[in-house]
Amino acid sequence: MRVVVFQGQYGVFKREDLDLSMPAVQTCLGLYALSDQHDYLLCAHFDTGLRLQQNLEDIQCALTRKAITMKSMHSVVFGGDGKQSYLRCSKPSSDIGHAIVNFIKARGGTAEYSSQYYSGIIPQTFNFYYKRRYGITEGENCRDFMGAHPQARNIARQRIKLTPREYSPAQAKMTDISNLYY
């Protein structure tokens, strides 16, 4: 099953036969989490700190619906701007990444923020992929965007009409796309 997770979206997906990409994490942040006890992968693509706590609670509820707890997840947050990027943004998204890690750890999960994949002063783009194995690649590849569910693509198109600085709290709400791919 092919899945594409765009900015402002998240999902919990069965790993068997999964072909997933979460492309173009630059000033955005990616989160992927694997469970030892379950055959599921959680992916979330954050593009704002607005409404962060509620979005994380929504993600936790999506896990709970599949009988998965944060405690069973091993999570990695990546992407975003490092502390050296004050030239491009007022508050580096690494602060948001650390808030995500703290949320997961407070619920008993393990989490780390990988500084290896900061965007930095010179913009870099990263893609998380999963297809029997997983990893993060640098750069944009058109294949990373291919195979998305039309509704997920339309949600993304609507979201990127505004910059994250222009979002209202309602527009900052992330969308669970798990059910689009089943």
Side-chain angles (χ1 to χ4, degrees), residues 80-130:
D81 293 315
K83 295 188 185 311
Q84 74 274 28
S85 65
Y86 282 108
L87 298 173
R88 287 194 300 132
C89 57
S90 59
K91 182 177 182 183
S93 54
S94 59
D95 292 349
I96 299 167
H98 291 295
I100 295 166
V101 166
N102 291 338
F103 178 91
I104 294 166
K105 286 182 174 181
R107 279 139 189 89
T110 60
E112 66 176 291
Y113 186 30
S114 175
S115 59
Q116 180 181 356
Y117 302 104
Y118 284 145
S119 180
I121 294 175
I122 299 168
Q124 292 173 283
T125 299
F126 301 100
N127 173 59
F128 172 78
Y129 67 89
Y130 184 95

Side-chain angles (χ1 to χ4, degrees), residues 2-4 6 19 21 23 141-148 153:
R2 179 73 179 140
V3 174
V4 181
F6 295 103
D19 177 8
S21 65
N141 182 328
C142 62
R143 188 213 180 277
D144 298 338
F145 295 89
M146 294 172 64
R153 189 178 300 280

